[in-house]
Amino acid sequence: MTEQTVDQGAETVPEVIAEPWKASVGLVVDQAYLGSPYTGIDAWRAAAEAGAEWLSVVEEAYGLPEERIRQLRDDTDKAGIPIHLVACPAFGLADPRDAVRDFNLEWAKAQVDFARGVGARRVKVLLGEWVWKGNWSNELQWSLVVENMRRLCDYAEQYSIMVSLEPEALENAYINDTYSLVQMLDDVASPVLSANVDTSHLVVRAIHPSGIRLLKGRLDTVNFSDSNGRWHEHLPPGTGVSDMAAFAAEVSSARRSDDALVAVVVGPFADPENAYEKVAASLGATRRLFGVPLDPVGGGTGL
């Protein structure tokens, strides 16, 4: 992939948007502060101070005690920031063994239950890779993913939970571009299923921002970060090779509704002691790109 020259530093990102839209900007909090002095509720408070409006979290929800869910709800109240998005790695929905598929479906349903428990209305699913590609019928594997995604969506629909699917930056992923994402959305055909894109993943896969146009009216959640253009890494906007202004414009046009979510996903950083400043800069740059006013009280100023 040919790298393009961009100005370095979040403060130089152009303020370009496709159309007026007050995007709701949050933070993938566990990843951003990994290894930093900020953990637990302190990380959530730091996210709010840095300019995040909400959190995206990863939690081992299967068998999670109710007291842990109560604690997380209390922590969101104390930190003054809600959880809007729950990540769900569901890597075994096409496993050739019935018991493994069944367990993975129950595991994924537990993420839906967890989202309900903490007040989130969206679950983002990652499907993983074709472990058996070429060794076991690809058509059958795909159909098993479709079948189990439909069952998961049926479960989520009972509780008014939206599900989105994220393409990965992996050659052998079930979904690794907007074409395969559209195909999966069409095959599952659930009213609660929509698209997620991770901008850094698209860059690694050499997908131009205009590729998002295939998702017009179906894009509900976005992972927003820059990329080095070669491997899987989430960089602060303006510090890599991506055309972040073009991505913001395409996302704005393709969104499913004004309620769509933009999650800043950066880190983990090589210098986690500086995570607060880097997160604040990333949130500030993202808010500018989407035309969202910066918070004069908290962080999010782009530093």
Side-chain angles (χ1 to χ4, degrees):
M1 177 176 182
T2 302
E3 294 186 13
Q4 63 187 65
T5 301
V6 297
D7 292 330
Q8 297 299 298
E11 70 279 359
T12 63
V13 177
E15 299 183 31
V16 179
I17 58 174
E19 56 187 87
W21 173 44
K22 187 182 182 301
S24 180
V25 179
L27 178 70
V28 180
V29 66
D30 306 285
Q31 182 169 325
Y33 292 116
L34 185 65
S36 80
Y38 300 97
T39 59
I41 190 172
D42 291 334
W44 296 10
R45 287 181 174 135
E49 292 171 0
E53 301 170 43
W54 51 270
L55 303 174
S56 174
V57 301
V58 180
E59 185 77 21
E60 178 50 78
Y62 188 79
L64 192 67
E66 178 60 33
E67 54 266 29
R68 172 61 176 163
I69 296 176
R70 285 196 299 269
Q71 177 197 338
L72 293 172
R73 284 200 305 263
D74 291 343
D75 285 351
T76 59
D77 291 340
K78 292 174 183 176
I81 187 169
I83 297 172
H84 278 357
L85 183 61
V86 170
C88 173
F91 295 164
L93 295 182
D95 193 279
R97 295 156 296 187
D98 293 346
V100 176
R101 289 199 310 279
D102 290 346
F103 173 80
N104 274 267
L105 179 59
E106 292 307 308
W107 191 95
K109 287 180 178 179
Q111 310 304 313
V112 173
D113 293 337
F114 172 67
R116 293 168 53 209
V118 296
R121 308 311 304 167
R122 288 174 171 90
V123 172
K124 180 191 69 176
V125 175
L126 300 88
L127 292 175
E129 297 184 87
W130 293 81
V131 177
W132 299 98
K133 190 173 185 177
N135 296 316
W136 199 55
S137 169
N138 293 345
E139 292 78 11
L140 182 55
Q141 288 181 76
W142 182 272
S143 69
L144 287 173
V145 172
V146 169
E147 174 190 343
N148 284 289
M149 275 303 305
R150 189 174 294 139
R151 292 167 68 187
L152 178 62
C153 288
D154 288 346
Y155 184 77
E157 188 176 6
Q158 297 178 54
Y159 304 104
S160 301
I161 300 291
M162 293 293 297
V163 179
S164 58
L165 279 174
E166 177 184 350
E168 287 287 356
L170 304 168
E171 180 66 32
N172 218 35
Y174 281 100
I175 298 173
N176 59 15
D177 56 28
T178 50
Y179 292 99
S180 52
L181 177 54
V182 167
Q183 186 64 58
M184 183 62 71
L185 294 176
D186 289 345
D187 288 355
V188 176
S190 168
V192 301
L193 185 63
S194 59
N196 167 283
V197 293
D198 186 309
T199 56
S200 67
H201 293 182
L202 296 186
V203 174
V204 172
R205 297 294 300 160
I207 298 171
H208 190 270
S210 61
I212 293 175
R213 295 174 192 175
L214 287 173
L215 305 172
K216 180 77 172 180
R218 307 177 84 169
L219 187 60
D220 190 52
T221 62
V222 178
N223 288 2
F224 199 74
S225 65
D226 213 330
S227 170
N228 61 43
R230 299 182 299 278
W231 64 80
H232 190 184
E233 183 181 27
H234 297 97
L235 303 176
T239 65
V241 303
S242 311
D243 187 343
M244 300 306 296
F247 273 120
E250 297 294 349
V251 164
S252 297
S253 294
R255 70 185 190 275
R256 178 172 178 155
S257 69
D258 287 346
D259 192 39
L261 300 179
V262 177
V264 172
V265 50
V266 289
F269 301 110
D271 53 345
E273 66 276 8
N274 296 318
Y276 182 91
E277 290 77 12
K278 292 190 173 184
V279 167
S282 301
L283 285 162
T286 300
R287 292 169 74 92
R288 288 199 306 276
L289 282 163
F290 283 96
V292 181
L294 301 176
D295 181 1
V297 177
T301 59
L303 296 181

